[in-house]
Amino acid sequence: MMTVRRIGIFGGTFNPIHNGHLLIAEAAREEYGLERVIFVPASHPPHKQRSDVAPNSWRYDMVRLAVADNPFFFVSDVELLRSGPSYTVDTLRYFHEVYQGQAEFYFIMGTDTLLDLPTWKYADELIALTHFLSALRPRYRTDLSMLTAKFGQQTQEKIHFLHTPEMEISATDLRQRFATGRSTRYLLPVAVQEYILANHIYR
Ligand code: ATP
């Protein structure tokens, strides 16, 4: 019998990528036996203000630097090359094609994103295309009633919670730290930190 390939997809703005992202991706990989985790930086995030988002090429480079030392981690520019807003459903359709129906997908996210899920474009199609792995995030409590109202039975079958420590790291806080010259040590990979400082990204 053929074992199903399990592929992790991690979408985000990654503005910048930080240790919170890396830790939940690694936890997801280990806990769900994922063959690999593909980080997919978003181009035009529909829910975020464009003005404070660093250019695509910088965010792509930062993810590339962050994942370089993990043989299970990859980065895809599929959303950066697509014109118009990035919808996760298009990305999942794309990866289903790439793997020719031979893989199961596990979309990695924090609880803040999970609670937004019912409002996403084509959410019903999306939940048919992927499982969701959610890491708890401080201050976001998990009231699953909205999810159950929208997705019914599929909520239990397709939405899972990771066993990761909750981490108070956010890209918003990191951007503020870089802007004001405060310490960012241990919050993101050294190579990413150096890249941000060398290119004056958040100053
Ligand atoms: P920002 O502060 O700019 O909103 P962010 O830190 O939330 O950014 P994103 O790139 O928007 O980073 O996050 C991508 C995904 O990673 C989202 O699903 C988000 O919930 C999740 N995530 C980010 N940081 C954490 C964290 N510390 N713990 C758990 N999940 C996280």
Side-chain angles (χ1 to χ4, degrees):
M1 204 175 75
M2 225 172 73
T3 49
V4 179
R5 301 172 73 180
R6 292 180 161 197
I7 308 293
I9 305 289
F10 195 0
T13 317
F14 301 123
N15 182 41
I17 189 165
H18 53 68
N19 287 349
H21 298 129
L22 294 165
L23 186 103
I24 69 172
E26 179 64 5
R29 182 193 72 73
E30 186 177 47
E31 208 174 322
Y32 283 82
L34 305 179
E35 177 185 307
R36 58 180 56 195
V37 175
I38 305 171
F39 289 68
V40 185
S43 178
H44 301 276
H47 302 297
K48 304 225 172 179
Q49 275 200 340
R50 188 69 215 170
S51 59
D52 69 349
V53 179
N56 290 349
S57 60
W58 278 348
R59 289 183 296 110
Y60 180 81
D61 279 351
M62 291 190 280
V63 175
R64 206 173 37 77
L65 289 168
V67 304
D69 66 352
N70 188 325
F72 299 105
F73 287 1
F74 295 83
V75 52
S76 164
D77 58 4
V78 62
E79 292 197 3
L80 302 178
L81 298 178
R82 193 187 298 146
S83 56
S86 297
Y87 292 117
T88 303
V89 72
D90 294 325
T91 304
L92 264 301
R93 285 184 194 135
Y94 165 81
F95 281 113
H96 271 276
E97 264 177 49
V98 170
Y99 283 86
Q100 302 178 319
Q102 300 301 307
E104 275 180 354
F105 293 95
Y106 290 78
F107 192 88
I108 299 164
M109 51 173 40
T111 23
D112 52 324
T113 310
L114 177 68
L115 295 175
D116 266 357
L117 191 59
T119 70
W120 284 18
K121 211 154 167 114
Y122 308 113
D124 293 313
E125 183 184 345
L126 185 58
I127 201 164
L129 294 176
T130 185
H131 290 262
F132 293 96
L133 302 180
S134 179
L136 296 180
R137 223 177 159 177
R139 285 196 300 274
Y140 292 94
R141 286 298 133 220
T142 29
D143 173 9
L144 296 185
S145 57
M146 285 263 291
L147 293 165
T148 313
K150 170 87 180 156
F151 301 118
Q153 177 72 18
Q154 290 186 101
T155 311
Q156 270 81 51
E157 289 163 6
K158 298 300 252 328
I159 298 174
H160 318 279
F161 289 91
L162 293 167
H163 295 96
T164 49
E166 291 188 37
M167 255 191 317
E168 190 89 61
I169 305 178
S170 74
T172 305
D173 176 56
L174 277 164
R175 291 194 299 278
Q176 279 164 4
R177 285 172 178 270
F178 281 111
T180 53
R182 289 171 60 212
S183 174
T184 55
R185 213 169 177 179
Y186 310 124
L187 296 173
L188 76 177
V190 173
V192 178
Q193 186 188 42
E194 286 173 350
Y195 184 91
I196 291 169
L197 295 174
N199 291 289
H200 310 285
I201 298 183
Y202 299 113
R203 303 273 339 195

